[in-house]
Every structure is written in structure tokens, then in C-alpha cells.
Amino acid sequence: MPASFSAQFIIFGLHINKIKNLNQKNMAELTPEHAKSYIEANKDRFLNELFELLRIPSVSADSKFKGDVRQAADYVKAALLKAGADLAEVCETEGHPVVYGEKMIDPSLPTVLVYGHYDVQPADPYELWDSPPFEPVVKDGKIYARGACDDKGQMYMHIKAFETMSKNGGAPYNLKFMIEGEEEIGSENLAVFVEQNKEKLNADLILISDTSIISTEHPSITVGLRGLSYVEIEVTGPNRDLHSGVYGGAVANPINTLCEMIASLKDENNHITIPGFYDKVEELSTAQRDAINKAPFDLSEYKRELGIKDIEGEAGYSTLERTGIRPTLDVNGIWGGYIGEGAKTVLPSKAYAKISMRLVPHQINDEITELFTKHFESIAPDSVTVKVTPHHGGDGVVVPTDSIGYKAAEKAFEDAWGKTPIPTRDGGSIPIVSMFQEVLGLDSILMGFGLDDDAIHSPNEKYGVFNFLKGIETIVRFHQRFAEMKK
Ligand code: BES
Ligand code: MN
Ligand code: MN
């Protein structure tokens, strides 16, 4: 071997070692500045990758998109592997698959399980979108697409936070990812998956970004989610559609009857009239209510943004209380009779409605569904028959604020946003979270970064590029803070 070759070889070897040492140094201390500059340097790629995922119409509710839902699962699996997972798999269920991935560093270190969902709500009505729902675009610093915020954009922040750590020395502990494809349809098969994989999902904590912050000026951490009971109603009158002149006035019209029955479910104070409905509702102390009402909230801006002249809700409670700590009953859809062009004089045989009840902690969705069913059947006049069919549901959640996980999340926000996050109770539901508590015995930290006006489930859903990038930074800080605090 010529001397010059071996000399070069040695120099080359030394060089490699030097790089290794540098990386090892970073491993010990991925500084906030370094993480920020890595995110900044890679932001265009991060966004382009998210756009690829947003282009896949993974609508879980509609079987027409079954293949797309699977494609999204495959995409998430590949993204986890690229970001540094040593294992990622698409796990079959009776329905849409669950993507599981992990990076085990040392079994004696803490483990955080990240949960998110890659399925999205249907994009209908398409004509109300300013740009096509599955062709993401950035306008005024916002990403517009179905799933941009709920939950692809928020879930993907976790994969990029993981990459940021992997590429800069590694995560400070073990990470597991469970990303499902049925959140928007009730997570029934994920519930089975969780029951069957308790060992595999063993962790210290679950971390979720699928909720919102008050505003970018007022970051917050979600400490409560509402539960959900959802029913479908069928009211039947005569055995066929009738001529509304020949029979009208003498035979019950099931649409009229359904409307009267629904109207009777609330009194003049917007209090729900179902007997027993409020029995388990937790009455908060004045101090707790004051804390909720201290959160920044601008009623005129709220009304302006929604295009309404006035608000409405349960007497004696503020808007933040009405959405955070009080249960609700709402008709989500109602139909029956003739709805085609022109007029058809018909007295319909059937009428239908879908009703959701948002529940607060301690109310149990199965119990509420039963109370509803009994009551609704009992108020039906003999002139009609009523059938109530329950749909998926879930129980509410309260997150304790004195845990290490919460404190780490609080610190992470302080580091990345320079502000202490305000604890808030969100009105939405993530039914699987209460199950994580029951089946896995694990608390969840709800560290979401969406905004209430991101129009999730609506046309023109959006997510701020700022929220996306800041979210990644905050998640990296969370892992570092939690690692420190668990020592
Ligand atoms: N991410 C939302 C829930 C959410 C949104 C919580 C905003 C807090 C703030 C989730 O994807 C969702 O839409 N959940 C459904 C329940 C499900 C059973 C369809 C909901 O809340 O309607
Ligand atoms: Mn969601
Ligand atoms: Mn949703």
C-alpha cells in the first residue's frame, strides 16, 4: 500500500471520529438554539412532507376513501422510519389500520407514547372551499387543507420533533408512536388494539397534540375534554307518505312531532330536561370557575368571527364555562319528507335526527345514552313510534396540573413561547383518552397548538405555519424537560 494512501486513510478515519464526537456532544445537549436552527433550516422540507400527507384524502367515515386511508397509514409508517424509528408497522384492525412505531434507547429510561390520528373528516361541502381540500396551499402564513390542523398537521409536528432529536444526538428517552385512522369515527378498533397491546404500549405518559391554544399571544394547555353521547332517532307516523290535504290535520306528522319532542329537551334557561341528566355533573367551586373565567376571552370578537349578533346558552354560565364545564344537547342533522325542487304536498311517514350530547367529567356516556333513550321514548305520543340508535361515544377527561408531565409541558411552553401557558378546558372530545386512563392507567398531556378559528371539520380548514414550527420546537423542549424532571 503506498504510504500516502494509508496516511490519507488515517486522516479520513480521524475526521470521522471527530464528527462522531461532535454528534455525541450534541447528544448530551441539543440546545434550544440548535433545535430552533435545525427546524428553521429544514422548514421547507417539513412543510412539503406534510403537504404530501395532506394530499391523501384519508376520510375514515367514507368507504370510498378506504384505499387512501391505508396510503396515509403507509406514509406515516415511512415517515417514522425516516425520522429515526427502529420499528414502524401498519397494524391491521377490523377497520382502518393503526400505525405503531418506536425508538427504544434504554428500557431503564422513561418512555413517552405519542398519540395522534391520520384520518380526517369528510371535506363536504366541497363548493364552500376557496381552494380544493386535498390540494394544500399556504396563504397569509396559513396552510389550507382538510386535516391541516386536525390532526395531520399536529400529529406530523411530533414526527418532525422526533427527527430533530434523532438527527442531533437522539431523543433523551424512549419514544413510542400510535397514530390511528379512526379517531373521527369513534376509535372503536383502536380501543381493541389498546386492550390487546397493553404490554407494547407500556409508557410513563401519553402526549397528544389534537387540541387548541387560546391564541398565539396566550398559549394554553388543555386540562379537560368533554365526553360525547351520540344518538340517531327515527320517528314513524303513518305506514306510508300521505296526501297532506286528504290526511293533514288528522294524522300525526312525524316531522312536526320530532320537532316538538326535540324542543321539549331544553327549558327556557337552556337547561336540559332529561331526568337525571345532571346528576353526576361536577359542580365547580367559585375559585375554579373564577380561574376558568380569568382566561382571555373577547365576546365581541367571538360574535364577529362567527357572524352572529348574539350568543345563547345555559343561564348562569359564561361562554367559557358553557363550552368547558357544562354539558350540551344539539341536533346535528334533521331530515325527512320532501326536500327536492318545488313543492310536494306530502305528510311524511318518517322523520330522522342525529343528536349529540357533550358530557363533562363524571357523566358516563353509556348512562346518558340510556337516560336519553328512556326519556325520548317516554315523551313520544301514541300517534308515532320512536327508535333511538346509539352511536359511538366517550367519556370526558380532566388532566391533573400537579404531575411531572404537566409541569414539563408548562416549562416547554415557557421555553419556546416565553409565556406560562394557561390551563383551559376544551369543549371537543377525544374519546380514546379516557380509555388510556382506564386500560393503560396512563395520563395524557394535551399539548395542542390549533386555534378555535382553524375551522376544523369545516370548509377552509387551516393551520398556521407558525403554529406548526413553534409546535415542533415546543415538543422538543417537552421531551428535554420531561427527561430532566424524571431524573
Ligand atoms: N381533535 C378533535 C377534538 C378537539 C378539537 C378537542 C378541538 C379539543 C379542541 C377530534 O378530532 C374530534 O373532532 N373529535 C370528535 C369526536 C369523535 C368521536 C368524532 C368531536 O369532538 O366531535
Ligand atoms: Mn382530532
Ligand atoms: Mn376531529
Side-chain angles (χ1 to χ4, degrees):
M1 193 190 289
S4 64
F5 182 82
S6 71
Q8 259 180 20
F9 190 77
I10 288 166
I11 290 167
F12 188 58
L14 280 175
H15 189 58
I16 289 205
N17 272 335
K18 219 165 132 196
I19 292 175
K20 265 199 192 148
N21 285 341
L22 267 180
N23 274 339
Q24 245 142 26
K25 200 152 167 262
N26 291 339
M27 192 183 299
E29 47 192 276
L30 166 59
T31 63
E33 293 71 36
H34 190 160
K36 256 175 105 160
S37 61
Y38 182 85
I39 295 164
E40 178 61 27
N42 291 281
K43 65 178 180 193
D44 290 340
R45 177 173 56 81
F46 286 2
L47 284 168
N48 284 327
E49 290 172 12
L50 171 61
F51 287 6
E52 270 184 60
L53 179 59
L54 290 170
R55 280 188 200 104
I56 309 171
S58 49
V59 179
S60 51
D62 188 343
S63 56
K64 191 166 86 211
F65 296 102
K66 195 163 181 248
D68 300 291
V69 176
R70 175 160 302 266
Q71 209 193 316
D74 291 338
Y75 188 90
V76 171
K77 173 189 159 175
L80 283 167
L81 289 172
K82 260 192 280 169
D86 18 63
L87 166 81
E89 50 196 16
V90 172
C91 307
E92 298 306 323
T93 73
E94 297 271 297
H96 300 303
V98 175
V99 183
Y100 176 81
E102 64 181 34
K103 173 76 194 174
M104 296 303 288
I105 297 201
D106 177 348
S108 68
L109 289 172
T111 302
V112 167
L113 171 60
V114 172
Y115 163 81
H117 62 96
Y118 66 81
D119 67 321
V120 298
Q121 284 275 326
D124 319 73
Y126 280 67
E127 66 276 15
L128 295 185
W129 286 78
D130 294 333
S131 55
F134 299 107
E135 292 172 30
V137 288
V138 176
K139 266 184 295 184
D140 301 328
K142 314 269 188 239
I143 307 157
Y144 284 85
R146 169 56 85 235
C149 174
D150 184 14
D151 181 43
K152 285 173 174 172
Q154 297 214 59
M155 176 271 290
Y156 208 68
M157 296 181 314
H158 284 273
I159 302 188
K160 293 300 101 176
F162 173 41
E163 176 197 307
T164 302
M165 295 184 292
S166 298
K167 293 279 149 65
N168 295 285
Y173 45 57
N174 309 308
L175 282 172
K176 295 179 178 176
F177 294 85
M178 179 169 65
I179 315 297
E180 71 154 320
E182 296 194 331
E183 196 278 340
E184 300 291 7
I185 53 171
S187 304
E188 267 169 46
N189 292 300
L190 182 70
V192 178
F193 181 85
V194 170
E195 286 280 4
Q196 290 172 347
N197 291 280
K198 289 185 205 165
E199 205 53 43
K200 185 178 187 145
L201 300 173
N202 185 27
D204 293 83
L205 177 94
I206 295 177
L207 184 62
I208 305 174
S209 295
D210 194 20
T211 52
S212 39
I213 50 173
I214 297 172
S215 67
T216 45
E217 292 79 52
H218 301 287
S220 54
I221 299 177
T222 301
V223 293
L225 286 171
R226 288 198 283 192
L228 180 70
S229 158
Y230 200 108
V231 294
E232 188 158 333
I233 291 161
E234 183 189 82
V235 180
T236 308
N239 59 6
R240 60 184 188 278
D241 286 4
L242 303 174
H243 188 290
S244 69
V246 176
Y247 291 95
V251 175
N253 179 325
I255 300 182
N256 293 19
T257 307
L258 175 61
C259 291
E260 286 159 19
M261 289 170 74
I262 289 171
S264 80
L265 296 175
K266 282 189 196 175
D267 67 15
E268 67 283 6
N269 291 319
N270 278 306
H271 214 70
I272 295 155
T273 56
I274 300 168
F277 188 85
Y278 291 96
D279 282 1
K280 294 198 173 166
V281 169
E282 179 189 26
E283 292 296 335
L284 271 70
S285 67
T286 316
Q288 283 173 304
R289 290 182 63 180
D290 285 350
I292 287 169
N293 290 317
K294 249 187 20 220
F297 176 73
D298 181 343
L299 183 59
S300 38
E301 172 53 22
Y302 187 77
K303 290 192 284 193
R304 192 203 56 75
E305 199 266 318
L306 294 174
I308 51 175
K309 280 207 282 255
D310 205 357
I311 50 164
E312 191 199 275
E314 190 182 354
Y317 294 92
S318 70
T319 300
L320 291 177
E321 291 174 322
R322 285 169 180 171
T323 58
I325 56 163
R326 299 300 293 170
T328 66
L329 184 151
D330 276 293
V331 180
N332 295 254
I334 184 161
W335 70 103
Y338 181 70
I339 52 166
E341 197 180 327
K344 180 187 178 197
T345 48
V346 66
L347 195 161
S349 166
K350 285 181 187 288
Y352 304 86
K354 290 179 195 275
I355 293 186
S356 68
M357 287 160 278
R358 294 285 167 173
L359 312 177
V360 295
H362 304 322
Q363 283 183 301
I364 296 165
N365 83 84
D366 291 338
E367 285 177 16
I368 294 294
T369 303
E370 205 181 308
L371 289 178
F372 177 93
T373 307
K374 275 210 190 107
H375 178 68
F376 209 71
E377 284 167 357
S378 80
I379 61 172
D382 289 342
S383 50
V384 297
T385 54
V386 165
K387 195 169 107 192
V388 180
T389 311
H391 277 265
H392 54 251
D395 295 333
V397 180
V398 222
V399 179
T401 53
D402 56 2
S403 68
I404 298 183
Y406 186 86
K407 300 268 183 243
E410 197 171 54
K411 280 267 176 265
F413 268 101
E414 285 170 357
D415 295 341
W417 300 65
K419 283 174 188 163
T420 301
I422 301 165
T424 57
R425 300 238 197 167
D426 282 11
S429 311
I430 310 176
I432 201 71
V433 176
S434 62
M435 218 209 127
F436 288 154
Q437 181 63 64
E438 278 157 36
V439 177
L440 301 175
L442 292 180
D443 278 335
S444 297
I445 294 299
L446 300 165
M447 206 167 73
F449 301 91
L451 295 174
D452 281 351
D453 71 358
D454 276 342
I456 63 171
H457 297 204
S458 306
N460 302 314
E461 176 176 352
K462 64 177 186 298
Y463 190 43
V465 172
F466 173 83
N467 301 51
F468 177 69
L469 298 173
K470 202 68 173 168
I472 298 172
E473 189 190 327
T474 315
I475 292 165
V476 171
R477 285 308 289 154
F478 172 85
H479 291 304
Q480 295 178 326
R481 287 294 192 175
F482 190 61
E484 251 170 57
M485 294 163 89
K486 278 293 270 187
K487 264 185 200 146

